[in-house]
Every structure is written in C-alpha cells, then in structure tokens.
Amino acid sequence: MLTPTAEIVGSAARADRGVGAFNVIQLEHAEALVAGAESAGTPVILQISENAVRYHGALEPIGLATLAVARSSTVDVAVHLDHATDTDLVAEAVRLGFCSVMYDASTMSYVDNVAATAAIVRSCHERSVYVEAELGEVGGKDGVHAPGARTDPDEALGYVEATGVDALAVAVGTSHAMLTKDAAVDLELIAALRATVPVPLVLHGSSGVPDDGLAAAVAAGMTKINIATQLNKAFTGAVRDYLAAYPEVVDTRKYLRAGRDAVAAEVARLLTILAG
Ligand code: G3H
Ligand code: ZN
C-alpha cells in the first residue's frame, strides 16, 4: 500500500535497518521493484528522477502509474521525486500525491542552498510531504557525489537545523552511475554523521558499492540506500540475452518481461541485504 516515506524511513532508522530506494524509468521498473519487495517481504521506495521526467517529457503519466502500482502492493511502498532542481516539478509531485521529494540544490552556494531548500521544506511540510536534500561541495564538479567529496558532520548538522529537512544525502565515498563495484564507503565518517545529524542519512550512487559494503554502510548508520544503475544493468543484460537467444522476436512483452524479472530478483536480493 502507498505509505508515507516518513514512516518507512523513520522506522528503518529506528531499527538500524536500511531501506532500498530504486529508480523507476519505465512502468516495468515500478512493477519489478514492487514484485521484488513483495518477495523479500520488506518496504521499498520507488523514486522518479527529474532526468526520467525529462526523458518522458512529463511527470504525470509515469508518476500516476507508479502511484497506482504502489497502492496495489501488499507491502509498504513510498513514491518519491528524486534529484529535483525545478521547483515547479516539486510542486507538481506534491499535487499528484507523491510521499516525498529530494530537492537538489547541491550546485548552489551554501547560502543559496539553505534559502532555497528551507523554502521547499516549508511548502512541502504544509502538505505533509517529506523532504530530502543534499549539501553540496562548493566548486566540486559532481558536488557531493564526486568520489573524493566528504560531508563534514558539523556543517551537516548546521544545514539540517537551518533548512528543516527530513533526510540528508551525504558524501561518504560513493559516486553516481558506477559500473564497477569498487567504491569504498567511509564507515568512520558514516558513524560520525549518524551521531551528529538528527535525521536519517541517504546514500546516493550505491550501485558502485559491493554487497558487504552496503551491509557495513547500513550497520554504520546509513538508512535510505539509492540504487539505479545496478538495476539498469540487470534489466539491459537480461533483455540483451533474450534478444540474442531469440533474434526473431518482435513482441516487446517477451523481452521486457525478461528485464522485469531480472530486476525483481535483484531487488529482492538487495532488500534482504539492506534489511540486515
Ligand atoms: O538518486 C539515485 C541514486 O543515487 C542512484 O545512483 O545509479 O549510481 O546507483 P546509482
Ligand atoms: Zn542520486
């Protein structure tokens, strides 16, 4: 059933468990993510990024479809807007009934980031929508997701107090869209952030982290674990294999089913690791 992100992330944080947040691009992703969560018997967060919205040309069709998939699930499912920089898109997600948004002002200066994020938090909280944000590294090309970027615990505490955000994306050694699994997460920093920052911590770019690193990151204090690229690898690999084995196929359902099944299996596996 559709469940507030606050409830899913809050209870995971209180129990020192992780919760998977996986990206929806096509409808098949939403179906696969929920099937995987149902087979693992855990909650899950379905997230749609601003980039995916740009790909579709609109949020509403994929957003409403994802909300419908979430509502029909037997496990708790939240629907989240990921990496939004456009405030109109945030407002639209709220209007459509999304449970939470990530407002990404990480490319702004600290002062501008705080002002813009605090304004988003005020308007989202009036509508009971949970807000995740990220503290950027001024001058860093990829912001907090540059491999060398690190979040300072005291600065993070000040940022959370100044903005009122409900969850914070932090830089602890991961980087977006990695195809290899050799990112080393800084476990000591995660523990220091967890001890200092009063809201749940979010790990972005988790596809580059090996399974034991994910489990260790959760044990050290990370709660919401964002994974996208790894599932695209599973989806595309299965479609590629299917089309190689059956080159005469033209029915799109045949190979998309193979992709969807591969994602569901990988999601069930990941959720079990994250749940500890
Ligand atoms: O916000 C989404 C994530 O940070 C996904 O990153 O594609 O590297 O797993 P990833
Ligand atoms: Zn991300």
Side-chain angles (χ1 to χ4, degrees):
M1 74 206 74
L2 188 66
T3 306
T5 306
E7 211 173 298
I8 292 178
V9 176
S11 57
R14 283 189 294 278
D16 295 323
R17 286 196 315 268
V19 59
F22 305 114
N23 287 65
V24 171
I25 305 173
Q26 279 83 38
L27 176 58
E28 282 77 3
H29 287 94
E31 294 165 342
L33 304 182
V34 165
E38 287 178 345
S39 103
T42 68
V44 70
I45 297 169
L46 311 188
Q47 51 190 20
I48 300 174
S49 71
E50 187 171 290
N51 284 339
V53 174
R54 300 287 165 250
Y55 165 76
H56 286 291
L59 174 61
E60 188 165 335
I62 188 71
L64 291 183
T66 300
L67 284 160
V69 171
R71 286 194 182 97
S72 66
S73 172
T74 58
V75 293
D76 292 347
V77 183
V79 177
H80 174 82
L81 180 68
D82 190 31
H83 284 290
T85 59
D86 176 351
T87 53
D88 289 342
L89 189 61
V90 170
E92 187 183 3
V94 171
R95 182 177 61 75
L96 292 175
F98 278 45
C99 312
S100 51
V101 301
M102 177 202 184
Y103 180 59
D104 184 347
S106 61
T107 57
M108 295 182 188
S109 69
Y110 182 84
V111 172
D112 291 348
N113 183 338
V114 167
T117 304
I120 289 284
V121 168
R122 277 192 298 276
S123 72
C124 284
H125 282 183
E126 277 169 19
R127 295 160 187 82
S128 302
V129 171
Y130 186 92
V131 180
E132 172 187 332
E134 108 177 20
L135 179 55
E137 191 197 43
V138 177
K141 181 169 166 280
D142 298 315
V144 304
H145 304 301
R150 294 290 183 274
T151 302
D152 175 73
D154 292 325
E155 194 179 23
L157 171 62
Y159 179 80
V160 169
E161 287 175 344
T163 56
V165 295
D166 302 296
L168 186 68
V170 291
V172 293
T174 58
S175 181
H176 274 124
M178 283 180 67
L179 295 174
T180 55
K181 291 207 152 282
D182 50 8
V185 284
D186 187 335
L187 298 174
E188 273 179 33
L189 178 57
I190 293 173
L193 286 162
R194 177 68 182 255
T196 309
V197 177
V199 296
L201 303 174
V202 184
L203 187 65
H204 279 249
S206 309
S207 292
V209 183
D211 291 350
D212 56 352
L214 291 175
V218 169
M222 298 300 311
T223 300
K224 177 173 177 274
I225 309 295
N226 285 12
I227 300 176
T229 302
Q230 188 175 344
L231 300 181
N232 281 337
K233 267 165 70 181
F235 197 118
T236 303
V239 168
R240 192 174 278 130
D241 289 350
Y242 189 93
L243 290 174
Y246 304 99
E248 73 290 355
V249 158
V250 295
D251 183 339
T252 59
R253 287 168 294 192
K254 301 270 192 207
Y255 56 86
L256 292 178
R257 180 192 299 276
R260 185 175 61 183
D261 290 350
V263 171
E266 180 62 1
V267 162
R269 203 184 69 75
L270 287 166
L271 286 172
T272 305
I273 292 169
L274 299 177

